[in-house]
Amino acid sequence: MKTSRYLGLLMIISGATLWGLSGPMIQWLFSHSDLTSINFLIVRLISAGSIILGYLFFAKKKIFMVWKDPRDWIQIVIFAVIGMLGAQYAFIETINVSNAVTATLFQFFGPVLITIYVAIQNKKLPSTVQILAVCTALIGLFFLITNGSIENIVLSNRAIFLGVLTMLGFTFYTLHPASLIKKWGTLMIVGWGMFIGGIVLLIFNQNFSVQLLPNTLTNYIFFIMILAIAIGTISFLLYIGSLKYLSPTETSILSSIEPFVAGIVSMTWLNESFGVYQMVGGAFIITAVIFLTMPKKREKLNEKIKMVS
């Protein structure tokens, strides 16, 4: 048990670190080449989706069974276009117009929106801890956008708009495929979601050509692009794999190192600078998400305290 737990810890820490590294790499790509978000996404989604589906195929999983029931494949297509493609495009465009750390923190705000959505859907007020976590996250978001001064907003309107879309996209990405994942498994749904999302984007961007990429990019930039795609795919597989050995609560808490890694890499490699209040805002958002992963345990503890008193 100890060995498997250590393996799970190694997987989630490695996955979160790699995901935190992938953001600055994408930011570097955009600042050192004419690569567009759409072209990068086409390569990223199709290649990552193909890798995941290929892995499942060689593992003798029936990857085409999901297309037999119209109710399933319609939901998969919706997830692929709105969830996978929408969330990924908003995230990468946020990196493009602001920076990797900001995009990662906007993405991290997703669990807060999920908490609010679930409370509305169940027509039940959130717990005290959840309400405090939501308020903490909102304060963090305010500091992130304004750096403590509403008169001197540090993010452009486009960056804020795309950041909000990132939050909404990752919220939809998390909530929508729940029943599909329960039936078919996470890798199956995410693999098809990536592949279909990339194909849809390719259809609407007919000027794209794989052969042109090596010609328009230098060998080094092309290598960094492939490396960023590989790192992003591996980080996801490590995250999913860690769930076999750790609880979702533990993986959620440990994945909070993503923004820290993105921040350190951005400041040391990309020479990014962040205001004090922006860093405080990021810490607030991360703290809120950590608390949101443990509401049930805290509620049970409160109930026990009330019974004793």
Side-chain angles (χ1 to χ4, degrees), residues 212-230:
L212 290 177
L213 285 177
N215 296 329
T216 55
L217 304 176
T218 65
N219 290 337
Y220 181 67
I221 292 175
F222 185 71
F223 169 75
I224 293 295
M225 182 187 74
I226 298 302
L227 186 61
I229 292 171

Side-chain angles (χ1 to χ4, degrees), residues 22-41 44 88-89 91-100 217 221 224-225 270:
S22 68
M25 292 179 71
I26 296 171
Q27 183 179 341
W28 184 91
L29 280 172
F30 289 145
S31 62
H32 288 78
S33 71
D34 295 327
L35 185 68
T36 65
S37 302
I38 292 177
N39 286 346
F40 176 79
L41 256 186
R44 180 179 190 172
Q88 291 285 326
Y89 176 76
F91 176 75
I92 290 176
E93 266 297 287
T94 305
I95 293 177
N96 196 12
V97 300
S98 58
N99 55 66
L217 304 176
I221 292 175
I224 293 295
M225 182 187 74
L270 304 178

Side-chain angles (χ1 to χ4, degrees), residues 122-153:
N122 295 335
K123 297 179 180 179
K124 182 181 178 181
L125 288 174
S127 66
T128 303
V129 171
Q130 288 175 321
I131 292 173
L132 288 174
V134 170
C135 293
T136 301
L138 289 173
I139 294 171
L141 186 62
F142 171 80
F143 284 146
L144 177 66
I145 293 173
T146 66
N147 195 31
S149 175
I150 199 168
E151 296 178 355
N152 299 307
I153 296 178

Side-chain angles (χ1 to χ4, degrees), residues 90 94 106 113 141 145 158-170:
T94 305
F106 270 116
L113 294 184
L141 186 62
I145 293 173
R158 180 170 172 76
I160 296 172
F161 175 72
L162 288 167
V164 172
L165 287 183
T166 299
M167 292 190 295
L168 294 173
F170 275 91

Side-chain angles (χ1 to χ4, degrees), residues 4-53:
S4 62
R5 177 171 174 78
Y6 288 141
L7 178 60
L9 290 171
L10 178 62
M11 291 175 76
I12 184 58
I13 292 173
S14 300
T17 301
L18 289 176
W19 185 254
L21 177 61
S22 68
M25 292 179 71
I26 296 171
Q27 183 179 341
W28 184 91
L29 280 172
F30 289 145
S31 62
H32 288 78
S33 71
D34 295 327
L35 185 68
T36 65
S37 302
I38 292 177
N39 286 346
F40 176 79
L41 256 186
I42 290 174
V43 177
R44 180 179 190 172
L45 290 177
I46 293 179
S47 58
S50 298
I51 291 170
I52 294 173
L53 291 174

